[in-house]
């Protein structure tokens, strides 16, 4: 048995992206940490708006329930909108960390202001809402979109990766920021290389979230079951939702 087992949930159904995310998580995991990278069986192939997020959140809850039954120590929600985060915390016993919150928190530890580089312009509002919700508005210098869909990061051409790089360079020139937060799970493998090249912290939420869950587990801290994050109230749900009940 590994010392710690972290379930990394890609909330979209793209197997290629689940691989990318799993590899990024394993690259930073401590020697005793096992990473189980999963995605929902049903849902959306990529998450680029509120509609996609609503569907993805159900898949996240199904995976959290399954992970808990398998005895994982903690969970990462590996989509930059952190879909279903608080609901997942209600269902989980161990800690649950979203990649947007992880990346934003990490960024504030190494820079006073960060910029975000994400995929389609329509996803910018999701990141803006999260900045507000997490209280990081004052820390964010600007948000940028490469104007390519999420799955362009998996098409093997390298075009999307080059656009991310160009946007990071532009952000550093124009925004007065000290760090960059990468705004998509599919950008995970770019962070270390861009950090070296651009000489500023470029933060990927997948690796940040894995290290945060490892820290919480090592400190013996899990999701509070007092108050609003207590397990959901027992009631009869209809259809497939009954299976979500703890
Ligand atoms: C994301 C992400 O991280 N995964 C996904 O499917 N959509 N977020 C984004 N802003 O593009």
């Amino acid at each position: 048995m590994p010392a710690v087992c972290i379930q990394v949930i890609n909330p979209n159904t793209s197997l290629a992206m689940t691989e990318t995310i799993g590899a990024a998580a394993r690259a930073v995991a401590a020697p005793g940490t096992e990473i189980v990278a999963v995605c929902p069986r049903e849902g959306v192939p990529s998450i680029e708006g509120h509609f996609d997020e609503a569907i993805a959140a159900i898949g996240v809850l199904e995976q959290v329930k399954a992970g808990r039954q398998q005895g994982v120590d903690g969970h990462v929600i590996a989509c930059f909108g952190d879909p279903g985060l608080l609901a997942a915390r209600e269902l989980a016993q161990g800690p649950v960390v979203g990649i947007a919150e992880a990346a934003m928190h990490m960024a504030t530890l190494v820079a006073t202001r960060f910029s975000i580089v994400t995929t389609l312009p329509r996803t910018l509002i999701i990141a803006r809402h999260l900045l507000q919700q997490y209280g990081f508005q004052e820390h964010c210098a600007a948000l940028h979109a490469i104007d390519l869909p999420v799955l362009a990061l998996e098409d093997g051409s390298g075009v999307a990766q080059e656009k991310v790089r160009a946007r990071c360079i532009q952000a550093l020139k124009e925004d007065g920021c000290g760090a960059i937060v990468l705004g998509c799970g599919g950008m995970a493998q770019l962070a270390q290389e861009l950090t070296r090249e651009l000489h500023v912290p470029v933060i990927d939420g997948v690796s940040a979230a894995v290290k945060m869950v490892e820290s919480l587990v090592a400190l013996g801290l899990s999701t509070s079951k007092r108050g609003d994050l207590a397990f959901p109230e027992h009631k009869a749900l209809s259809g497939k939702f009954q299976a979500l009940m703890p």
Side-chain angles (χ1 to χ4, degrees), residues 205-228:
V206 176
S207 38
V210 166
K211 299 316 279 183
M212 284 183 179
V213 172
E214 275 183 351
S215 301
L216 289 164
V217 171
L219 293 167
L221 300 173
S222 51
T223 299
S224 173
K225 289 294 142 189
R226 176 187 278 250
D228 65 301

